[in-house]
Amino acid sequence: GENVEQHPSTLSVQEGDSAVIKCTYSDSASNYFPWYKQELGKRPQLIIDIRSNVGEKKDQRIAVTLNKTAKHFSLHITETQPEDSAVYFCAAGDQTGANNLFFGTGTRLTVIP
Amino acid sequence: DSGVTQTPKHLITATGQRVTLRCSPRSGDLSVYWYQQSLDQGLQFLIQYYNGEERAKGNILERFSAQQFPDLHSELNLSSLELGDSALYFCASSVETGPYNEQFFGPGTRLTVL
């Protein structure tokens, strides 16, 4: 099955700086790569996703890049704010017709004011 | 609020016992997924149901089972509970199955096995 690795496990940045979280996946059939944000004590929520036919996608301060050849994808957050502090999960979706996602182990991002 | 509901919110039980977790998907969503989130770990996919039928299976233990009913709500049954089963269990739903369908997560059920 799919195996998703995520790094780093923790990340601290100063407010206003950029944060980058990287993930790799193993199954070349995966074609959907969402990112979820989980604030403390809350449910995971989708913040951005990318499909395998796109190399980059941006939404305001958040961007994702995908390198299918290398099987890795990254989340970039620019101009970080304290409210960006949360655990971020990457995931990869398989192509069997189901929509089950395989998640990375998460990155705890702390934005220091 | 995602529209996905889960009950109970918290559950405390003893080893060897059996519990049932309940999930109601968003109105109109046919697909339900169950995930386990242990302390300091990621989300482990357990099982997916689509319109009442099992669609995909992940790392679900044999002691665990699930079903989706005609009204599309789903239950996750955990039996012969062990200390290591203590975790946050999330249910998610999506409109359809297949890639690109956003999954909406419920608030989770926190299970504590003593």
Side-chain angles (χ1 to χ4, degrees):
Chain A
E2 175 64 275
N3 180 46
V4 178
E5 295 190 356
Q6 183 172 348
H7 300 280
S9 56
T10 60
L11 180 60
S12 291
V13 299
Q14 292 289 333
E15 182 177 357
D17 287 351
S18 295
V20 180
I21 302 170
K22 298 182 179 181
C23 289
T24 61
Y25 63 99
S26 61
D27 190 349
S28 56
S30 290
N31 67 348
Y32 177 59
F33 307 93
W35 287 85
Y36 282 80
K37 176 183 180 182
Q38 186 178 25
E39 297 177 1
L40 189 63
K42 297 191 176 180
R43 72 193 77 193
Q45 289 188 290
L46 178 72
I47 55 171
I48 194 168
D49 56 16
I50 191 168
R51 303 181 185 184
S52 59
N53 59 347
V54 175
E56 185 173 356
K57 183 177 178 180
K58 192 172 181 179
D59 182 5
Q60 299 183 333
R61 297 185 297 108
I62 295 174
V64 290
T65 58
L66 171 65
N67 184 326
K68 282 194 305 180
T69 304
K71 288 193 229 166
H72 67 70
F73 55 113
S74 301
L75 176 71
H76 304 252
I77 306 174
T78 58
E79 301 172 21
T80 53
Q81 301 167 3
E83 51 265 37
D84 293 330
S85 296
V87 178
Y88 291 81
F89 292 97
C90 63
D94 71 6
Q95 219 174 2
T96 62
N99 193 25
N100 49 293
L101 296 171
F102 295 89
F103 283 82
T105 48
T107 296
R108 183 175 298 279
L109 173 65
T110 301
V111 179
I112 304 165
Chain B
D1 185 0
S2 66
V4 179
T5 60
Q6 288 186 250
T7 57
K9 195 171 182 178
H10 300 279
L11 196 50
I12 301 174
T13 188
T15 54
Q17 295 298 305
R18 173 190 169 96
V19 297
T20 297
L21 313 184
R22 184 188 168 103
C23 168
S24 292
R26 294 186 320 156
S27 176
D29 283 2
L30 299 177
S31 208
V32 170
Y33 314 80
W34 287 97
Y35 294 91
Q36 179 191 58
Q37 186 175 39
S38 301
L39 190 63
D40 290 334
Q41 290 190 18
L43 292 151
Q44 296 291 323
F45 169 68
L46 296 178
I47 198 165
Q48 179 204 3
Y49 278 82
Y50 175 71
N51 205 19
E53 294 188 1
E54 183 183 304
R55 194 69 177 85
K57 227 171 186 177
N59 298 322
I60 187 167
L61 299 172
E62 286 190 9
R63 300 183 286 109
F64 296 2
S65 65
Q67 53 184 328
Q68 186 180 28
F69 295 86
D71 66 354
L72 301 177
H73 90 271
S74 178
E75 293 181 355
L76 179 66
N77 301 296
L78 315 175
S79 62
S80 303
L81 285 168
E82 302 175 358
L83 295 177
D85 297 327
S86 296
L88 193 54
Y89 290 84
F90 283 106
C91 160
S93 73
S94 64
V95 174
E96 281 287 341
T97 188
Y100 316 145
N101 282 279
E102 180 179 351
Q103 293 186 25
F104 294 86
F105 281 77
T109 292
R110 183 168 295 282
L111 173 66
T112 302
V113 182
L114 301 175

